[in-house]
Amino acid sequence: MSADKILVTGANGQLGSALIPYLTSMYGAGSVIATDIIENEHQLPYFELLDVTDAEALSRLIRRHRISQIYHLAAVLSAKGEKNPLETWYLNTGTFLNVLEAARSLKVGKVFFPSSIAVFGDNIDREFVSQNAGLLPATAYGMSKAASENWMAYYYRRYGLDVRSLRYPGIVGYQSNPGGGTTDYAVAIFHKAAARQTFHCFLKADTILPMIYMEDAIAATLQLMEAPSDRIRVRTSYNLAGMSFSPAEIAAEIRKHNPGFEMICEPDFRQEIADTWPKRIDDSEARSQWGWQPRFDLAAMVADMMDHLEIQYKRTVATG
């Protein structure tokens, strides 16, 4: 693996900042180039500023570092995206096309692209969404992801470019703050609980959405990218599942660790987005084709999140 050079775009985001240490441990120091349009928020090693809308700058970086794999994580998320849908479309799809073209012309070996449950719309059976359910997204973010899935399949069929993808549910992790997604209530709730504050939830208490713990999301990503090419039979994006729960259910689990925790539900525009998304995901193709299996259920995730964030908040109080 040491010969590989990895480029990560959007490295300051929730997934990127958590994924990079794992990639560095696999490929070695200096083999993972973290990039973002803003400064190095997480003090990541080997960081460079990169605006992925600049196709020439992207190609120059790939040539200079002799990049062999790209993890393209730069994107505007669902809730933020609805505030400026055209900019969201341009940024999300335009940057991915820049990555695909650079990877094709410069013969990059593999590309990873994060898709999302936002590709599904209200035409689906929300109770259990199959791999091949029709895509009719309700947001600009979802439309950009659905279009990008088709571009992945196109570049694979026409050019043989090895592009791999996962349809992530909501990702819950302690490594970074909420980033503007509809499922990010499930991150924010832990920060309020650890700070001993009331949580104001922007979804109804009984809104069930599919989620995954960050450790499982990273494990699935690396497992997919390391799988032999002949095991990858879905060339759009694989459904991925961890667990499904509602705000009421996660709050009840948090109270096992913090009995005084309070949550008030005040639904806003994000409720309409959540109402178009699946409740549960059928990820049987990922399980059968390359062996995906989550480790964390709701109870295990809450226990681990509370352990990590309570340590963080105690340090903040002690040094504050």
Side-chain angles (χ1 to χ4, degrees):
M1 292 184 186
S2 59
D4 280 295
K5 293 293 290 287
I6 316 299
L7 168 63
V8 181
T9 70
N12 284 328
Q14 182 192 25
L15 181 59
S17 59
L19 177 63
I20 285 170
Y22 288 84
L23 289 171
T24 300
S25 69
M26 290 173 63
Y27 292 96
S31 293
V32 181
I33 311 302
T35 69
D36 208 300
I37 197 171
I38 56 178
E39 293 293 341
N40 189 2
E41 291 182 346
H42 300 279
Q43 301 303 308
L44 299 169
Y46 301 98
F47 180 90
E48 294 190 23
L49 288 172
L50 175 67
D51 181 353
V52 198
T53 65
D54 186 339
E56 285 300 317
L58 172 65
S59 292
R60 285 196 300 270
L61 188 149
I62 291 171
R63 289 192 193 96
R64 177 158 47 89
H65 290 287
R66 299 181 180 179
I67 296 296
S68 58
Q69 293 188 36
I70 301 173
Y71 288 72
H72 179 53
L73 309 182
V76 178
L77 300 182
S78 58
K80 282 187 176 179
E82 289 306 282
K83 296 176 182 178
N84 196 332
L86 292 182
E87 182 180 339
T88 299
W89 172 263
Y90 169 73
L91 178 68
N92 289 0
T93 56
T95 58
F96 187 46
L97 286 171
N98 286 346
V99 167
L100 288 173
E101 268 299 282
R104 176 192 67 80
S105 62
L106 299 175
K107 302 189 185 309
V108 172
K110 281 189 281 191
V111 175
F112 177 78
F113 178 79
S115 191
S116 165
I117 59 169
V119 298
F120 301 114
D122 57 11
N123 60 309
I124 58 170
D125 176 5
R126 295 183 62 231
E127 294 296 331
F128 196 57
V129 181
S130 69
Q131 174 65 50
N132 296 315
L135 306 186
L136 193 62
T139 62
Y141 172 73
M143 288 189 288
S144 72
K145 293 294 186 181
S148 294
E149 287 192 16
N150 285 321
W151 277 113
M152 281 186 280
Y154 180 85
Y155 269 74
Y156 174 73
R157 288 193 307 267
R158 179 156 185 182
Y159 305 115
L161 184 63
D162 190 355
V163 193
R164 306 181 183 196
S165 178
L166 297 171
R167 288 173 182 155
Y168 290 113
I171 299 178
V172 182
Y174 57 84
Q175 293 89 343
S176 60
N177 292 323
T182 300
T183 57
D184 275 353
Y185 88 86
V187 179
I189 192 171
F190 286 104
H191 286 270
K192 292 296 185 181
R196 299 300 192 265
Q197 296 174 357
T198 298
F199 176 58
H200 294 264
C201 183
F202 52 74
L203 298 180
K204 296 176 182 176
D206 62 353
T207 303
I208 296 173
L209 289 172
M211 304 280 184
I212 192 168
Y213 196 36
M214 179 63 80
E215 276 69 7
D216 275 341
I218 291 171
T221 304
L222 298 176
Q223 188 176 356
L224 172 70
M225 289 296 279
E226 292 301 312
S229 183
D230 60 4
R231 300 286 297 276
I232 309 301
R233 297 174 196 146
V234 174
R235 286 295 176 173
T236 51
S237 187
Y238 278 99
N239 279 3
L240 186 71
M243 65 197 88
S244 290
F245 54 79
S246 67
E249 289 170 325
I250 193 172
E253 194 65 37
I254 287 173
R255 290 189 190 103
K256 294 178 182 179
H257 303 263
N258 178 359
F261 175 68
E262 294 184 6
M263 178 180 71
I264 299 171
C265 290
E266 301 168 328
D268 64 14
F269 73 97
R270 287 165 284 196
Q271 184 66 51
E272 295 182 10
I273 297 174
D275 286 342
T276 69
W277 287 359
K279 294 181 179 180
R280 294 172 181 83
I281 299 289
D282 176 7
D283 62 356
S284 56
E285 294 203 28
R287 292 175 185 245
S288 65
Q289 291 177 19
W290 43 274
W292 159 241
Q293 185 69 45
R295 290 178 49 231
F296 286 84
D297 60 10
L298 178 59
M301 179 189 75
V302 169
D304 201 54
M305 281 289 290
M306 291 301 293
D307 284 347
H308 281 91
L309 285 181
E310 288 192 341
I311 290 170
Q312 288 183 23
Y313 276 84
K314 285 177 182 176
R315 284 178 184 157
T316 301
V317 170
T319 59

